[in-house]
Amino acid sequence: MHYAKITGWGKCVPPAVLSNEDLATFMDTSDEWITSRTGIRERRICHCNFSDMAVVSARHALAAADLDPAELDLILLGSLTNDSYCPNTASLVADEIGAVNAAAIDVNSACTGFLYGLHIGTNLIRTGAHKKVLVIGGEFISHYMNWARRDVAVLFGDACGAVVIEQSDEECGLLAAKIGCEADAKYAIQITNLGSAYSRLSEEFLYVGWNFEGQEVFKRAVKAMSQACMDVLEQTGLTVDDVSLVVPHQANKRILDALAKRVGIPEEKVFVNVHKYGNTSAGTIPVALAESLEEGRVKPGDYLLTASFGAGLTWGAGLIKWGERVTPLQLSDASLPACDKTALEILAPHIKRYAEHSASADSQ
Ligand SMILES: CC(C)(COP(=O)(O)OP(=O)(O)OC[C@H]1O[C@@H](n2cnc3c(N)ncnc32)[C@H](O)[C@@H]1OP(=O)(O)O)[C@@H](O)C(=O)NCCC(=O)NCCS
């Protein structure tokens, strides 16, 4: 049996910053409410396409691994906000980076898209079916946001990250994972008016709506992620004391605190960047992983615990053993095209559209 070593990592966060104060200029909210309920202070807004963020993070990950994209044999891309349904976004990325020998699959399990992808890619490598896999996770969630919904709009942001995993005989990479889905609660997070279940003849079609049961999701997230963490520790015979760093899905600081408490991990061992980016769904874990390495929080041979939760309601956890190398082999200068707008300027037409739609719905 082989292992699937993580040899490269990269991230792409768009430059336009949307602060809590910016949100309070067009919706009835406040920095105090958002910070005290979620820990989020600001988030990023994408000014280009989702695939642009995916390509930039892929180029950083490939440079860190010093890998020729033609050597990749598979791309797994976790996202629910793809550029288009057809062709899939993994194909767009493959073409753009020159991954001419790679199969290309989109994985839509919402926030768990990266962890699901890492689990699938790792096991395809471990069985020998594939050798070099690019796993991407990210989201252009601002594109799918209903900007009249203060209970949802303040929580999310745009970003993307990626890792390269390669076949290795060294015992490292994702050593254990447990993934699952609480499908009975599938409508606790739901994006409506988009997809073939909705009539194209309806006037509502493409006015994205959200069903969002925040408190229900909160409770289930803490329970499912902590149970999954304990399961992967049990699978590997490790204890929480062996874990150097937890790199979890970043949805809400209060969820992270509750998770740490339940699993019995001190707060200082939990990597947190939700204050900077909000919930970037499938982007949170690969971005947090890249930043953990940039900040020197990962040491050779460390055991990292990761956990995620999202729409579906999908959940999962994984135990990663890091290899010897914690620095990139090469650096890439890949970046997004320049952005000449503020986040509020990018969003202005969408905020107006949803405000008008919400006002007309209220008057009916
Ligand atoms: C959404 C969430 C932050 C709400 O926090 P909460 O502590 O449950 O919120 P509360 O129930 O105390 O507050 C709700 C009140 O705040 C109001 N409110 C909602 N959003 C608000 C906002 N952005 N600004 C100000 N007030 C807001 C509501 O209208 C409600 O008011 P009411 O009591 O007068 O009806 C929290 O439930 C959560 O984080 N859930 C998990 C969501 C998540 O991350 N999902 C993705 C998982 S991948």
Side-chain angles (χ1 to χ4, degrees), residues 27-30 33-34 37-38 111 150-152 154-156 189 212 214-215 217-218 221 249 251-252 254-255 279 309-311:
M27 59 173 55
D28 183 13
T29 190
S30 64
W33 192 96
I34 302 168
R37 298 301 203 289
T38 71
C111 298
R150 67 175 182 170
D151 58 328
V152 188
V154 304
L155 303 177
F156 292 93
I189 306 175
F212 193 79
Q215 291 193 0
V217 174
F218 189 112
H249 175 47
N252 182 325
R254 282 162 57 216
I255 293 181
N279 180 351
F309 193 86

Side-chain angles (χ1 to χ4, degrees), residues 9-20:
W9 52 91
K11 66 166 188 185
C12 175
V13 292
V17 176
L18 185 73
S19 67
N20 291 347

Side-chain angles (χ1 to χ4, degrees), residues 21-285:
E21 288 81 5
D22 289 334
L23 284 163
T25 62
F26 66 91
M27 59 173 55
D28 183 13
T29 190
S30 64
D31 177 51
E32 193 282 320
W33 192 96
I34 302 168
T35 311
S36 62
R37 298 301 203 289
T38 71
I40 300 167
R41 295 192 178 276
E42 55 189 40
R43 68 287 293 143
R44 302 298 176 100
I45 300 297
C46 183
H47 64 291
C48 41
N49 287 332
F50 169 62
S51 61
D52 296 321
M53 292 196 289
V55 165
V56 170
S57 39
R59 289 199 164 122
H60 286 286
L62 287 161
D66 196 15
L67 186 72
D68 180 342
E71 287 192 52
L72 289 171
D73 52 19
L74 178 64
I75 298 176
L76 291 161
L77 183 146
S79 183
L80 63 89
T81 53
N82 295 314
D83 286 25
S84 60
Y85 285 109
C86 181
N88 69 2
T89 305
S91 305
L92 304 183
V93 175
D95 186 39
E96 195 61 33
I97 64 173
V100 289
N101 296 305
I105 306 174
D106 286 0
V107 180
N108 178 358
S109 58
C111 298
T112 57
F114 175 78
L115 183 58
Y116 268 42
L118 186 64
H119 177 60
I120 295 165
T122 295
N123 283 290
L124 288 172
I125 286 178
R126 294 194 73 166
T127 60
H130 286 264
K131 290 195 167 52
K132 294 176 194 292
V133 179
L134 177 66
V135 184
I136 304 172
E139 224 72 73
F140 184 1
I141 202 90
S142 67
H143 189 78
Y144 288 73
M145 190 44 65
N146 181 324
W147 291 102
R149 286 284 303 275
R150 67 175 182 170
D151 58 328
V152 188
V154 304
L155 303 177
F156 292 93
D158 303 330
C160 191
V163 296
V164 171
I165 51 176
E166 299 185 57
Q167 195 179 81
S168 168
D169 292 328
E170 200 185 317
E171 190 193 26
C172 61
L174 185 69
L175 297 185
K178 173 113 195 230
I179 61 171
C181 179
E182 295 179 12
D184 59 315
K186 57 195 172 296
Y187 294 129
I189 306 175
Q190 183 189 19
I191 298 180
T192 59
N193 299 332
L194 197 66
S196 56
Y198 300 93
S199 168
R200 283 170 287 170
L201 303 178
S202 158
E203 285 182 9
E204 292 296 306
F205 192 64
L206 297 184
Y207 274 103
V208 178
W210 283 72
N211 289 332
F212 193 79
E213 296 168 27
Q215 291 193 0
E216 180 68 11
V217 174
F218 189 112
K219 279 185 262 172
R220 285 179 181 260
V222 173
K223 208 166 146 212
M225 285 197 291
S226 49
Q227 186 57 54
C229 283
M230 291 190 268
D231 286 349
V232 292
L233 286 171
E234 199 183 315
Q235 275 183 53
T236 50
L238 297 168
T239 71
V240 284
D241 295 334
D242 297 310
V243 174
S244 305
L245 189 68
V246 187
V247 186
H249 175 47
Q250 313 273 323
N252 182 325
K253 176 69 167 62
R254 282 162 57 216
I255 293 181
L256 298 183
D257 293 344
L259 173 70
K261 198 167 163 205
R262 262 179 108 116
V263 179
I265 293 210
E267 231 180 86
E268 58 275 15
K269 279 193 180 179
V270 181
F271 186 85
V272 180
N273 63 7
V274 69
H275 53 290
K276 294 195 288 183
Y277 306 127
N279 180 351
T280 62
S281 181
T284 61
I285 293 175

